[in-house]
Amino acid sequence: MGLIALMQLIVFGWLLYLSPIYLAERYGLSVGQRGLVLALQGSGAGVAALWARRSLRAGGELGLLALSLLLPALALLVAAVSETVALDVIAFCVASLSLGVGTPAGVSLMMWLVSTSATGIWQSTSRVGQLLGPLIAAGLVGVLPLDGVLIAGSAIASTGLIGLAAASGARGQLGGPRGSSVA
């Protein structure tokens, strides 16, 4: 559940809240241009969800969750050091794939672990990340330069990867759920 909240925290805090601010501040993109970037991010997440759903047939939930954290960890770091609007837009769009990859994987894993109440648990857990993400990102904007906030988002996603690796290692020792290999 923590990984689902963390994924939503990154998506809502760094991609939906921060990326339009960053693109306006750094490159002067108009509202329409920033809206187009958000539309590209949403479209990419939708396509990624279709791909991820097909991958779940092989039981690869943990691998998809790892990918959903790795994408923003790397992409936010790239955006922080990039000097061009095109690379930043690409980085934000790549990071947004995490929502499409992680959502089906998280729901599938929760359904396997807790059965019928999984959707409600997933929604409640997601809301925590959706509320905290913009609050944390906004708080960091007040004390760090925007590039520093992007690096902080990358670090948060990386922390999730470390937690997932530790959890999957413990689960593997205990004979964990189907598809528990991270790959």
Side-chain angles (χ1 to χ4, degrees), residues 38-95:
L38 289 173
L40 289 171
Q41 288 175 310
S43 299
V47 170
L50 293 173
W51 170 81
R53 185 66 197 127
R54 292 183 65 203
S55 297
L56 289 174
R57 293 187 185 140
E61 290 95 345
L62 294 179
L64 290 173
L65 285 172
L67 184 59
S68 77
L69 295 166
L70 182 62
L71 289 171
L74 294 175
L76 290 173
L77 194 57
V78 166
V81 299
S82 167
E83 297 292 328
T84 66
V85 67
L87 188 55
D88 281 351
V89 167
I90 290 168
F92 288 132
C93 289
V94 166

Side-chain angles (χ1 to χ4, degrees), residues 75-141:
L76 290 173
L77 194 57
V78 166
V81 299
S82 167
E83 297 292 328
T84 66
V85 67
L87 188 55
D88 281 351
V89 167
I90 290 168
F92 288 132
C93 289
V94 166
S96 71
L97 299 176
S98 66
L99 181 63
V101 171
T103 298
V107 170
S108 177
L109 189 59
M110 289 187 82
M111 287 178 70
W112 188 85
L113 293 173
V114 297
S115 188
T116 58
S117 62
T119 305
I121 292 170
W122 177 84
Q123 289 176 339
S124 297
T125 303
S126 292
R127 296 306 171 261
V128 170
Q130 291 169 6
L131 291 170
L132 291 178
L135 289 173
I136 293 170
L140 291 173
V141 166

Side-chain angles (χ1 to χ4, degrees), residues 154-165:
S154 176
I156 291 169
S158 297
T159 301
L161 275 170
I162 293 166
L164 179 61

